[in-house]
Amino acid sequence: MRIRNWDEYQESYKLSVEQPEKFWDNIAKTFKWKKPYDKVLDWNFEKPDVKWFENGKLNITENCLDRHVETQPDKTAIIWEPNDPNDEGIKWTYRELHEQVCKFANVLKNNNVKKGDRVCLYMPMVPQLAVAVLACARIGAIHSVVFAGFSAQSLADRINDAKCKVVVTSDGAFRGQKEIPIKDIVDEGVSKCECVEKVIVYKRTEQFIRLENDRDVWWHDEMEKVDADCPAEEMDSEDMLFILYTSGSTGKPKGVVHTCGGYMVYTYYSFVNVFQYEENDVYWCTADIGWITGHSYIVYGPLLAGATTLMFEGVPTWPDAGRFWDICDKYQVNQFYTAPTAIRSLMSKGLEPVARYSLNSLKVIGSVGEPINEEAWRWYNTYIGKEKCPLVDTWWQTETGGILISPIPDVTELRPTYATYPLPGVQPVLLDKDGNEIKENNVEGLLCMKYPWPSILRTLYGDHERCRTVYFSTFKNHYFTGDGARRDAKGRYRIIGRVDDVINVSGHRMGTAEVENAINEHPWVVESAVVGFPHDIKGQGIYAYIICDRHVHSEQAFKDEINETVRKEIGPIAKPDIIQVVSGLPKTRSGKIMRRILRKVASGDISNLGDTSTLLNPDVVEEIIENSPMVKK
Ligand code: WTA
């Protein structure tokens, strides 16, 4: 199933389209199943209802751990590099990781967690987070990891939506020079959640925290009470494995649901092909486990492949901008996977921090999360990959579970800024806005999938109808990605970006409505409109136009308050880069905000604003242009 050359790619691709069930069966049967599946695929995009490996019984952790404990118990499974380079890291073998997972699974059971219960994980990048993820899977509990940069309010919304019974967290977190009071945020969040019975706290920073009687317990105390014997729960292929919340174009985050069998098969398959992982390689993905990239390509994909996966607690620029490269040399990293925003930020620091390191061990370098611009692509390719490592620009989404479009190193032809070809088993199409397929090459269109792959989302937690309308109703019998794409003369894809009201800030998906809702919580705000604009480092920045109900004496003080409100409602990642106080927003006669105009102004481009005379309030456009810091006068 590992594709080694262009002929094999074409053969596999052909088989995957002509006989998809045979194609996937060949891959799926290499796993450890407690009971084999009866049928490879059953699907209906209208409902939607997609089932892979029906009636198969398995436990994903047996495939991530037990299998490898039998064949390579002493191989390193996880390498952990702490925030401070002078502190000692951790290396766990497959045997040791298995033991930790089984013990923590027993801890969860002791705390009344049962198959099907939801468990929220709100933790820094410590290996115990990977342990907690796998321990949930071991006993059939559904994990919902919430990125530990989200605010108490966002955490509470996610806990309540999934009705999580237990929260696993830490006392604090180290990020660069900062120490973050994780447990205080959890206390505030959980105070709004009646469903939470227990909070399990891993000690990381040793900062002072309050433990609530009957509710809070220490990780280390609980681990002492249990042994390492925990048989893996028998799960159906289509049982839920996890929920992961992501932003959509309306205010409420969506709980994307992935199931056991298909997710297992696809994350493994895509991992080995895209990264061409070999026996003794060290693989490093710099994402946080709080995002899908961390789920699929720090934890599940690599462990399913029996790989050595590196986890890093800190940030790319501390103690200095050479930290990533220092870690690459220190552990002789072979595959390095990061985000364009990190590349752009390091690029801005010059070559000196790179020149200090050899980077000789690297074989493949990867990019994910947002379009990578040509300048960043070339810098990454030249100075990090030294023009000898294929650069894999991987396109995918929380909803797709795994990488769908990506180069395969030394197999498919690269092109800067192009994610290039679909992996075998993936059938992308470009549609025009009326839903007609654009079959030629050298075209642009809306990116859709016309056939299911094993790790496609199954539903949105508690809201199947929203899943149907968002992804499966725009175009009949197609999964709609929300992205626009271009296909070149050779059939390679370049992702242009979102075509909906979602912006991508440093690779983090943000709904404009979500940010507006947060801003509107400020008592003086009458109305707001948020749009994205091109940002040198973040890819897109957040530009907020705000109508305030009174004259503010200090605009700066008001802006600070808005930032604080957003930080409280969502988290620091959603703070606007630019706030402009306006007297009105351009609206159509039916009252719809003309975001197109606001987007143009935000990007500093006031040509072709179109006919504004039909607006309800044409004068306001003049005022907005006049006062915008982005428009050069
Ligand atoms: C964008 C992250 C261009 C895209 C795995 C998608 C990309 C959204 C790329 C999903 C890429 C992701 N090139 N754009 N290689 N990868 N995107 O759910 O707009 O956090 O729809 O998943 O990120 O973001 P998400």
Side-chain angles (χ1 to χ4, degrees):
M1 85 212 51
R2 182 173 310 196
I3 300 155
R4 302 257 179 204
N5 56 52
W6 179 240
D7 286 345
E8 278 179 28
Y9 171 84
Q10 285 176 304
E11 243 169 69
S12 291
Y13 198 86
K14 189 161 178 276
L15 176 69
S16 81
V17 173
E18 289 170 1
Q19 296 180 69
E21 300 204 24
K22 181 166 178 209
F23 176 83
W24 289 112
D25 183 43
N26 284 341
I27 299 166
K29 68 185 179 206
T30 65
F31 289 85
K32 185 175 161 115
W33 295 88
K34 287 175 183 282
K35 180 179 159 279
Y37 40 87
D38 305 331
K39 193 159 186 252
V40 173
L41 170 65
D42 203 0
W43 68 290
N44 173 327
F45 271 180
E46 264 176 58
K47 289 185 179 171
D49 183 15
V50 180
K51 292 197 187 82
W52 282 92
F53 314 114
E54 236 175 315
N55 297 324
K57 305 287 177 196
L58 75 154
N59 187 292
I60 196 168
T61 69
E62 284 191 329
N63 287 281
C64 288
L65 303 170
D66 304 56
R67 257 195 321 170
H68 309 310
V69 172
E70 279 166 29
T71 56
Q72 45 172 14
D74 298 320
K75 175 163 178 180
T76 305
I78 294 185
I79 298 175
W80 177 68
E81 166 74 7
N83 181 58
D84 187 330
N86 298 315
D87 286 351
E88 204 163 328
I90 286 177
K91 277 188 186 175
W92 278 337
T93 62
Y94 271 90
R95 195 203 330 256
E96 288 165 327
L97 179 61
H98 179 267
E99 184 181 317
Q100 293 287 323
V101 169
C102 288
K103 284 180 76 177
F104 195 66
N106 284 331
V107 167
L108 290 173
K109 283 194 204 163
N110 277 351
N111 284 279
N112 196 27
V113 179
K114 304 203 164 55
K115 180 175 179 176
D117 286 343
R118 275 79 57 213
V119 175
C120 175
L121 311 179
Y122 186 82
M123 295 176 82
M125 281 289 285
V126 288
Q128 286 73 17
L129 171 53
V131 168
V133 163
L134 294 163
C136 287
R138 186 84 178 170
I139 62 169
I142 298 158
H143 55 78
S144 165
V145 185
V146 176
F147 173 61
F150 277 114
S151 68
Q153 184 59 50
S154 290
L155 173 64
D157 292 344
R158 286 159 177 76
I159 292 173
N160 281 327
D161 189 76
K163 301 203 175 47
C164 296
K165 204 175 193 179
V166 165
V167 178
V168 185
T169 189
S170 67
D171 49 355
F174 294 122
R175 276 182 73 75
Q177 275 165 304
K178 285 191 232 152
E179 208 173 306
I180 297 150
I182 298 283
K183 177 61 165 51
D184 291 351
I185 301 170
V186 169
D187 285 341
E188 191 189 331
V190 169
S191 71
K192 300 171 186 171
C193 306
E194 282 183 7
C195 48
V196 175
E197 293 170 11
K198 288 277 179 211
V199 175
I200 304 174
V201 189
Y202 175 72
K203 190 180 274 185
R204 171 64 187 118
T205 58
E206 312 208 338
Q207 64 199 66
F208 175 78
I209 60 158
R210 198 176 51 87
L211 283 192
E212 193 161 304
N213 277 343
D214 304 331
R215 191 195 73 183
D216 300 353
V217 292
W218 283 112
W219 173 295
H220 56 265
D221 288 343
E222 295 299 292
M223 288 291 260
E224 283 195 358
K225 299 181 196 159
V226 295
D227 61 26
D229 181 23
C230 180
E233 187 73 38
E234 182 170 298
M235 305 296 286
D236 189 89
S237 284
E238 284 300 334
D239 279 341
M240 266 185 223
L241 175 62
F242 67 85
I243 306 169
L244 183 58
Y245 286 87
T246 185
S247 294
S249 44
T250 61
K252 200 169 161 271
K254 305 178 285 197
V256 170
V257 170
H258 285 289
T259 57
C260 298
Y263 181 82
M264 170 176 80
V265 171
Y266 197 83
T267 50
Y268 165 78
Y269 159 78
S270 50
F271 173 77
V272 295
N273 278 298
V274 170
F275 298 103
Q276 294 286 317
Y277 183 86
E278 308 271 353
E279 184 71 35
N280 292 311
D281 288 348
V282 174
Y283 160 88
W284 179 23
C285 165
T286 70
D288 191 290
I289 293 178
W291 311 110
I292 191 68
T293 307
H295 282 61
S296 302
Y297 300 111
I298 294 178
V299 183
Y300 287 113
L303 295 178
L304 285 162
T308 299
T309 176
L310 194 153
M311 262 180 91
F312 172 45
E313 184 183 38
V315 297
T317 47
W318 191 80
D320 61 50
R323 187 69 192 276
F324 274 0
W325 324 128
D326 182 46
I327 297 173
C328 284
D329 276 7
K330 179 170 174 188
Y331 298 103
Q332 294 291 293
V333 169
N334 303 106
Q335 291 88 6
F336 174 75
Y337 190 29
T338 195
T341 188
I343 295 299
R344 287 190 299 262
S345 129
L346 296 176
M347 195 168 94
S348 73
K349 306 275 196 278
L351 286 174
E352 188 278 326
V354 184
R356 277 186 260 143
Y357 303 97
S358 92
L359 301 177
N360 273 344
S361 54
L362 291 177
K363 297 198 285 194
V364 174
I365 55 175
S367 167
V368 60
E370 51 173 318
I372 180 164
N373 51 307
E374 182 137 6
E375 198 192 351
W377 197 100
R378 295 205 182 276
W379 190 88
Y380 194 21
N381 185 49
T382 309
Y383 299 109
I384 307 305
K386 318 264 192 207
E387 286 173 8
K388 67 174 174 49
C389 304
L391 193 172
V392 293
D393 175 2
T394 64
W395 175 85
W396 58 299
Q397 309 177 296
T398 304
E399 295 85 344
T400 70
I403 297 165
L404 297 193
I405 304 182
S406 167
I408 300 178
D410 301 321
V411 171
T412 58
E413 194 191 353
L414 301 176
R415 177 170 178 188
T417 77
Y418 278 67
T420 74
Y421 295 108
L423 298 188
V426 175
Q427 300 190 35
V429 288
L430 295 179
L431 302 185
D432 67 19
K433 62 180 187 339
D434 301 319
N436 305 308
E437 184 173 344
I438 311 169
K439 293 219 165 97
E440 311 79 70
N441 282 342
N442 262 329
V443 288
E444 271 181 24
L446 300 166
L447 182 64
C448 293
M449 299 293 151
K450 68 171 177 193
Y451 200 84
W453 61 98
S455 61
I456 186 174
L457 87 161
R458 300 300 194 269
T459 190
L460 292 177
Y461 192 77
D463 199 349
H464 194 66
E465 178 54 18
R466 188 172 177 201
C467 175
R468 192 187 67 78
T469 49
V470 174
Y471 306 106
F472 298 94
S473 73
T474 317
F475 304 112
K476 198 171 150 69
N477 280 323
H478 286 84
Y479 165 81
F480 177 41
T481 65
D483 281 328
R486 163 162 197 86
R487 188 168 53 220
D488 75 1
K490 292 185 175 171
R492 293 172 298 197
Y493 289 86
R494 174 194 195 163
I495 312 304
I496 299 164
R498 306 287 310 187
V499 296
D500 53 10
D501 287 324
V502 171
I503 48 186
N504 194 324
V505 184
S506 302
H508 303 320
R509 263 164 81 171
M510 209 87 66
T512 53
E514 210 178 330
V515 184
E516 287 163 9
N517 290 348
I519 291 173
N520 298 349
E521 287 297 311
H522 190 284
W524 296 0
V525 172
V526 180
E527 196 178 7
S528 62
V530 165
V531 297
F533 71 99
H535 188 288
D536 284 349
I537 306 253
K538 299 180 177 181
Q540 280 190 297
I542 302 178
Y543 194 125
Y545 299 89
I546 301 180
I547 308 175
C548 179
D549 74 356
R550 65 197 68 187
H551 176 73
V552 285
H553 291 294
S554 159
E555 208 161 276
Q556 193 49 53
F558 175 65
K559 290 179 182 175
D560 292 345
E561 280 188 37
I562 293 292
N563 276 323
E564 183 53 24
T565 308
V566 173
R567 198 190 57 75
K568 263 193 86 179
E569 292 293 318
I570 305 178
I573 53 175
K575 281 197 295 198
D577 298 276
I578 297 177
I579 295 173
Q580 182 177 354
V581 180
V582 296
S583 69
L585 292 166
K587 287 190 178 169
T588 62
R589 288 187 189 269
S590 59
K592 203 170 164 293
I593 298 175
M594 289 290 284
R595 287 173 186 279
R596 196 179 50 80
I597 295 178
L598 297 176
R599 276 195 285 264
K600 286 216 109 183
V601 174
S603 67
D605 171 14
I606 50 166
S607 62
N608 304 321
L609 284 182
D611 182 10
T612 53
S613 64
T614 57
L615 292 177
L616 205 56
N617 47 356
D619 297 347
V620 85
V621 178
E622 299 290 307
E623 175 210 300
I624 287 176
I625 293 173
E626 182 60 34
N627 297 332
S628 170
M630 293 301 282
V631 179
K632 298 212 171 47
K633 310 229 158 67

